[in-house]
Amino acid sequence: IMKELHSDILIIGGGLTGLMTGYALSPLKKNIIIIDKFDFGITKDANADLRTTAIAEGSKIFFEKINIWPQFSKYAEPIKYIKVVDRTENRKINFYNKNTSQYLGFIIRNIDLKNVIVHSLKTKKNIQLINKVNLKSLVHSDDFIHAFCNKLTIKSKLIIAADGKHSTVRHLLKTPIYHKNYNHSALVVNFHHTKNHNATAHELFFNSGPLAILPMKKIRTHLFSSSIIWSNDKSSVSQLKKIKPNLLRSILEEKVCKYTGGIKKIVDVQDFDLSAHINTKFYDKRLIYLADAAHSIHPIAGQGWNLGIRDIQNCLKAIQEGIDLGLDTGDPYVCKNYHDLSFADTYILYQITDKFNSIFLKDSFVLNRLRQLGFRIIENNKKIKNYITNFAMGI
């Protein structure tokens, strides 16, 4: 007989968002199970996932509120300035936070984030982590939703789908999505360099696509570290990924040496296809979709994970309101309330990043002049600049 477990909340997906959701909801004193098809193991291998995540000031404020920021902060490299350059140096905007006690954001390696959260979850009595679980089907009854998996069944009041861009849950429930393929890939390169980055992030717009340079925490004492995220058409990225490290180094150096100095060592090279999607709704019966399972946006503004963190805040708020009203965690009111809190905000950002990307890619005379004018207005208008800064910070 297959084992059956019971929970108030079942989180499907043990990536950064699923784990973070479990941690954020743990004070509700509800019985929470987190399942994933892979292993949750804390890894000591520094090369496991070398991608980095940009954490906005708004997310950091939330992390402080739920008491996990002190553990994150030792791995976080603050961003004090963001410099945006469009084609030439005379078209630039310099962003900084007028509030000197705050930064614009932080860069943390995914592996460090994951290790901290898993470590914290293991101290929580009301949270159970179960790995190597494959979801097969979902069945509703009046007061529960049943998740049938390869080695057990879980009967839960609420399911939170945090199982990523290619969500199994979404596939099983046939939730419709709007989808956009950019026919671009992002080349992600972590490297050591000679010049101090001074906690500055750069966003450089080329005809081929945007290139971001993100400051990272120093790993070696004698060198500085940064991460490049370069969006380009798919064939260019796959060629760049195949070429010899020395050639790649000289191509990248030509683009970034003004900001980073010489590239001493390329630590890691990965590539990811770029696409965006948004579910037509963020909830179903006794179920809500979070982060990449609900939406994914173009990385042009570095807001992807922060949007997921806002989902977690809205999820916590909706469940807490439901509990205060005497409802169970998966009540239709809770699920619909979460959707109402999250959807409009996400839809706007989905559209903004999409339009932004196309404006910067096109190179017509008119668009060029418009961008030039736009950059000049923003750079010289404190009010507009502060508005954009606060928007990017998520506050």
Side-chain angles (χ1 to χ4, degrees):
I1 296 167
M2 196 177 269
K3 191 166 142 190
E4 184 177 90
L5 300 177
H6 292 232
S7 69
D8 297 304
I9 300 166
L10 167 61
I11 298 169
I12 297 175
L16 286 179
T17 312
L19 296 169
M20 196 70 231
T21 306
Y23 180 86
L25 299 182
S26 62
L28 297 175
K29 298 283 180 275
K30 294 291 178 187
N31 173 20
I32 300 170
I33 295 175
I34 307 175
I35 61 170
D36 196 80
K37 53 186 173 201
F38 300 115
D39 203 329
F40 294 105
I42 291 188
T43 174
K44 292 280 181 279
D45 177 9
N47 298 317
D49 181 356
L50 287 164
R51 283 177 302 170
T52 55
T53 289
I55 292 177
E57 183 68 26
S59 299
K60 179 220 167 196
I61 292 166
F62 175 61
F63 294 152
E64 284 177 328
K65 209 161 91 184
I66 61 173
N67 299 321
I68 201 165
W69 182 250
Q71 292 98 287
F72 283 162
S73 64
K74 50 176 162 294
Y75 301 107
E77 180 61 37
I79 299 174
K80 293 180 186 171
Y81 313 96
I82 297 174
K83 298 192 171 179
V84 182
V85 178
D86 180 30
R87 284 14 176 220
T88 65
E89 274 290 326
N90 58 15
R91 247 190 282 178
K92 63 177 182 221
I93 307 171
N94 297 305
F95 292 106
Y96 59 91
N97 193 341
K98 63 184 191 305
N99 178 347
T100 49
S101 70
Q102 291 180 327
Y103 295 109
L104 289 169
F106 300 83
I107 301 294
I108 307 188
R109 295 187 318 156
N110 291 8
I111 191 72
D112 295 324
L113 282 172
K114 187 174 181 184
N115 286 350
V116 165
I117 308 168
V118 171
H119 196 78
S120 305
L121 286 174
K122 289 189 169 169
T123 66
K124 307 278 178 196
K125 300 265 188 292
N126 59 324
I127 292 185
Q128 202 177 346
L129 301 176
I130 309 173
N131 57 20
K132 298 189 173 63
V133 175
N134 282 311
L135 179 67
K136 301 292 185 197
S137 65
L138 294 167
V139 177
H140 293 91
S141 59
D142 287 344
D143 300 324
F144 294 95
I145 179 166
H146 303 256
F148 291 94
C149 307
N150 56 334
K151 54 184 185 184
L152 76 170
T153 304
I154 303 166
K155 182 178 167 186
S156 190
K157 292 280 187 190
L158 171 71
I159 283 182
I160 295 175
D163 55 345
K165 213 168 176 172
H166 307 290
S167 166
T168 305
V169 174
R170 200 178 62 223
H171 180 72
L172 288 171
L173 294 178
K174 298 183 170 52
T175 304
I177 64 170
Y178 303 108
H179 183 265
K180 175 148 191 179
N181 198 336
Y182 288 107
N183 291 316
H184 268 69
S185 294
L187 185 77
V188 181
V189 181
N190 290 359
F191 64 105
H192 300 316
H193 52 90
T194 54
K195 200 168 164 181
N196 191 338
H197 50 53
N198 293 316
T200 304
H202 295 86
E203 181 94 53
L204 316 172
F205 289 101
F206 299 114
N207 299 3
S208 57
L211 185 152
I213 310 167
L214 305 175
M216 286 170 69
K217 202 96 181 139
K218 231 176 174 187
I219 298 169
R220 300 234 175 87
T221 43
H222 61 292
L223 290 172
F224 301 93
S225 299
S226 291
S227 182
I228 286 173
I229 301 162
W230 187 8
S231 303
N232 215 319
D233 65 83
K234 284 185 174 180
S235 61
S236 302
V237 169
S238 82
Q239 281 170 331
L240 284 166
K241 196 158 184 273
K242 282 178 199 150
I243 61 177
K244 292 201 159 63
N246 281 348
L247 184 56
L248 178 63
R249 189 163 82 182
S250 54
I251 291 170
L252 292 174
E253 217 164 45
E254 188 199 342
K255 301 270 182 202
V256 305
C257 69
K258 187 187 293 180
Y259 313 102
T260 63
I263 294 177
K264 279 294 171 199
K265 186 183 180 199
I266 289 178
V267 182
D268 178 61
V269 183
Q270 297 186 49
D271 62 327
F272 303 94
D273 287 344
L274 297 184
S275 64
H277 83 280
I278 184 165
N279 295 13
T280 51
K281 54 177 190 168
F282 289 0
Y283 73 108
D284 208 308
K285 197 176 167 195
R286 294 199 168 271
L287 183 134
I288 60 181
Y289 289 105
L290 267 185
D292 281 359
H295 49 75
S296 58
I297 58 173
H298 193 284
I300 195 165
Q303 288 300 317
W305 203 53
N306 298 296
L307 206 49
I309 298 303
R310 268 186 259 174
D311 288 348
I312 296 173
Q313 294 181 63
N314 292 335
C315 170
L316 179 58
K317 190 176 175 186
I319 295 172
Q320 186 63 67
E321 277 179 22
I323 291 168
D324 294 346
L325 291 168
L327 306 171
D328 77 46
T329 48
D331 190 90
Y333 171 81
V334 172
C335 300
K336 175 74 167 70
N337 187 11
Y338 161 75
H339 167 90
D340 293 345
L341 289 167
S342 285
F343 189 83
D345 210 19
T346 305
Y347 186 75
I348 290 165
L349 202 56
Y350 174 81
Q351 292 291 357
I352 288 172
T353 49
D354 180 58
K355 302 300 171 278
F356 232 61
N357 179 56
S358 54
I359 287 167
F360 278 103
L361 275 182
K362 292 193 178 97
D363 229 9
S364 69
F365 176 75
V366 177
L367 265 178
N368 241 319
R369 293 312 294 264
L370 278 172
R371 285 202 307 266
Q372 195 171 356
L373 184 66
F375 267 61
R376 197 176 305 143
I377 290 168
I378 294 167
E379 178 61 1
N380 297 315
N381 187 313
K382 273 198 170 140
K383 205 170 174 185
I384 299 177
K385 204 191 254 193
N386 288 340
Y387 177 79
I388 295 170
T389 305
N390 288 342
F391 180 78
M393 285 161 56
I395 57 171

